[in-house]
Amino acid sequence: MRPGIKLFVGNVPEEATAEELSELFSGAAGPVLGIALMKQFAFVHLRDEAAAARAITQLNGHQLHGRRIVVEPSRPRPTNTCKIFVGNVSAACTSGELRSLFQQYGTVVECDVVKGTGPSGRSELLHNGLQWELGRL
């Protein structure tokens, strides 16, 4: 685990690089201790609360490659939950449809469909204490 304050950066364009994010955040908030860049989101580690507050104030809603990024404090996953991946989901499937499908088994804490990662897209679902494998919708 990196020291400092961890921020979540959402709606990151695919063409964005870790170097580009590092320059953006260091210009707004000071030294960047580390960056973990995934598809469409990233985690940026800054030195302290003051640096994190500056980054949030200056960069939340900032246009990056035509997309407005979301910058907010990273929140830990609620206890007694697990995150599961559901693959082979139709690109037309919405997070609301997945939520409805899984709600019958327990409380869905978070549900995101991440599109454009393969021929059929993919989804990630955070579900309270259950693991499910979904063949097709």
Side-chain angles (χ1 to χ4, degrees), residues 7-69:
L7 295 178
F8 171 81
V9 184
N11 203 32
V12 175
E14 286 188 35
E15 58 268 32
T17 66
E19 293 79 22
E20 182 177 23
L21 288 174
S22 182
E23 287 177 23
L24 182 66
F25 277 82
S26 64
V32 172
L33 302 179
I35 291 182
L37 177 61
M38 280 58 109
K39 288 236 184 233
Q40 299 181 351
F41 70 96
F43 293 104
V44 176
H45 297 260
L46 298 174
R47 184 177 17 201
D48 54 32
E49 295 279 349
R54 285 193 304 274
I56 292 168
T57 300
Q58 293 180 33
L59 298 176
N60 187 38
H62 177 81
Q63 287 273 347
L64 183 62
H65 298 287
R67 295 177 78 174
R68 290 192 183 279
I69 59 172

Side-chain angles (χ1 to χ4, degrees), residues 21 61 68 74 92 117 122 129:
L21 288 174
R68 290 192 183 279
S74 178
T117 58
R122 77 172 198 196

Side-chain angles (χ1 to χ4, degrees), residues 77-91:
R77 188 178 320 151
T79 57
N80 299 321
T81 64
C82 66
K83 185 172 189 174
I84 63 170
F85 171 78
V86 181
N88 200 27
V89 175
S90 165

Side-chain angles (χ1 to χ4, degrees), residues 73-118:
S74 178
R75 294 178 188 90
R77 188 178 320 151
T79 57
N80 299 321
T81 64
C82 66
K83 185 172 189 174
I84 63 170
F85 171 78
V86 181
N88 200 27
V89 175
S90 165
C93 182
T94 67
S95 60
E97 290 171 323
L98 277 178
R99 182 177 292 276
S100 294
L101 181 66
F102 280 86
Q103 251 181 310
Q104 61 186 313
Y105 302 105
T107 302
V108 175
V109 177
E110 179 183 335
C111 180
D112 297 303
V113 175
V114 181
K115 300 195 184 241
T117 58

